[in-house]
Amino acid sequence: MSDIHSLNLRDLPLYFTYKRLNDKADHYQGTFHAHQGVEILIVHEGTGTLILEQKSYKLAPGMLCIFQPYQLHHIQVDLSESTPFIRSIVHYEPTLFEAYMEKWPNLQAFYKHIHMGSLGEQCMYDSGAAGPLDSLLSNWERTLPLLPKSDIYEEYSLFLVAFLRIFKQLWEQKQKPSDSQSASRVPHQAERILEWLQEHYKEPLRLEQIASELHLSPHHLSHLFKACTGSSISDYVSAKKIQQAILLLTASDYSIARIGEEIGLTNSSYFCKLFKTQLGITPHQYRKQFRSKRYPMPR
């Protein structure tokens, strides 16, 4: 199954979890998903494969990744009691904290860059997160339950500023060209399939055509994609269509029927049904809710 998450980052402007652990497959069901806001993932332990848009990354301790708003991503984890998946997550809605960044131009530029900029490789290895960043996260986990609700917005913003200051230093150090960095990401066979789907997801899905153009048998194509992503090709294409529909709903004045056509769904009723299945509301309701939002600005 693949889906788009519409997280309520209005009532909970910053989501945080520290060293969340999964060691049983039935306790972790990773899917292709996308969501509003910026998510920063820190891997403490774990092995497997991360798919981010059309790129694959080998999951490893010390890995640090940025997921920009509505980017499709998926983690396929090799789980057992001896090889658990332990990660920390900081997930926030960028528009809610912009005012807090204005006093620090360099930090503000980085804040905007990881929100909307072109990041190239969005994951880095050997981040050194076990040092000052880990100390900040563990301290915040202890502090968060004790904070008065009246101060929570200010405390969230102060935490985010402190987090991004450390994160910025780690990220910029790892962006410097090096032999170890260039060798850190190993392309997976499934990337060829993902790249093809990126170019053709608006077209009718024909397994035989994909297999022929990629020089694979239809059976091997399906098995390879499922093994790498845990998702079927059809589920991924559906998530990709809805991802694009959300962008058009929020950034254009196209009619619902026109948006359906733009993503390859000429039957407007089917488009609305698929959208509601993924998000729980119709495209019209989604656009109405988006345009009626008035996020409280920090004071």
Side-chain angles (χ1 to χ4, degrees):
M1 181 63 181
S2 303
D3 64 326
I4 309 290
H5 295 329
S6 184
L7 297 180
N8 188 4
L9 291 176
R10 177 178 174 177
D11 295 333
L12 182 69
L14 187 147
Y15 170 79
F16 166 80
T17 185
Y18 177 64
K19 290 193 173 180
R20 177 188 291 178
L21 181 148
N22 293 98
D23 57 8
K24 294 182 175 64
D26 57 346
H27 292 171
Y28 180 82
Q29 300 295 330
T31 64
F32 268 107
H33 65 281
H35 41 64
Q36 71 188 80
V38 171
E39 177 183 340
I40 297 172
L41 168 71
I42 302 160
V43 178
H44 303 283
E45 294 184 41
T47 61
T49 303
L50 165 67
I51 302 290
L52 175 55
E53 292 292 348
Q54 289 78 53
K55 292 182 179 180
S56 65
Y57 299 84
K58 184 179 179 182
L59 206 66
M63 184 181 190
L64 195 155
C65 300
I66 298 174
F67 305 138
Q68 293 176 307
Y70 295 111
Q71 284 190 318
L72 283 177
H73 55 280
H74 167 73
I75 299 176
Q76 185 82 346
V77 186
D78 304 322
L79 281 179
S80 71
E81 292 186 3
S82 61
T83 57
F85 181 36
I86 304 176
R87 72 280 191 197
S88 297
I89 296 171
V90 175
H91 184 184
Y92 60 92
E93 170 51 49
T95 59
L96 297 179
F97 296 99
E98 286 178 357
Y100 283 105
M101 303 296 162
E102 292 177 356
K103 296 180 181 179
W104 301 284
N106 289 333
L107 189 64
Q108 183 185 45
F110 178 72
Y111 182 82
K112 291 181 177 180
H113 178 61
I114 63 175
H115 174 206
M116 303 179 65
S118 177
L119 300 180
E121 297 295 340
Q122 291 179 233
C123 296
M124 67 180 186
Y125 293 83
D126 302 319
S127 64
L133 192 58
D134 190 72
S135 177
L136 174 68
L137 295 175
S138 61
N139 183 62
W140 178 249
E141 183 192 36
R142 293 190 298 270
T143 302
L144 188 58
L146 307 176
L147 297 175
K149 290 186 178 181
S150 59
D151 298 336
I152 199 69
Y153 218 114
E154 180 177 345
E155 294 294 339
Y156 274 140
S157 65
L158 291 172
F159 164 75
L160 190 58
V161 168
F163 174 82
L164 288 175
R165 285 189 67 198
I166 300 171
F167 180 79
K168 178 177 180 290
Q169 293 176 351
L170 294 172
W171 189 262
E172 290 179 345
Q173 288 172 4
K174 286 294 179 178
Q175 295 309 301
K176 297 175 182 178
S178 68
D179 293 337
S180 60
Q181 180 184 356
S182 62
S184 63
R185 196 183 74 82
V186 180
H188 193 282
Q189 281 181 298
E191 288 190 22
R192 294 174 56 221
I193 307 172
L194 289 163
E195 288 171 358
W196 193 95
L197 294 173
Q198 173 67 18
E199 295 180 8
H200 301 275
Y201 73 91
K202 299 179 183 180
E203 303 169 9
L205 182 61
R206 297 187 179 92
L207 194 62
E208 292 76 10
Q209 179 190 359
I210 307 172
S212 175
E213 295 194 17
L214 295 178
H215 307 291
L216 297 168
S217 71
H219 173 75
H220 183 55
L221 174 72
S222 297
H223 178 77
L224 177 65
F225 193 84
K226 181 75 172 179
C228 175
T229 68
S231 168
S232 69
I233 292 177
S234 61
D235 279 344
Y236 173 79
V237 169
S238 293
K240 188 68 185 176
K241 287 178 182 291
I242 299 303
Q243 176 199 31
Q244 185 63 24
I246 287 173
L247 296 177
L248 293 172
L249 284 166
T250 57
S252 78
D253 291 321
Y254 289 168
S255 67
I256 302 301
R258 171 73 184 277
I259 291 174
E261 292 173 359
E262 289 288 326
I263 63 171
L265 298 176
T266 55
N267 185 320
S268 184
S269 296
Y270 177 72
F271 166 48
C272 292
K273 181 180 178 181
L274 177 65
F275 193 97
K276 188 171 183 178
T277 298
Q278 296 267 4
L279 274 79
I281 58 177
T282 67
H284 176 74
Q285 289 170 330
Y286 187 95
R287 172 178 272 171
K288 185 177 180 180
Q289 287 186 11
F290 177 83
R291 292 182 174 177
S292 67
K293 283 179 181 177
R294 293 295 183 266
Y295 289 122
M297 293 306 296
R299 287 184 278 186

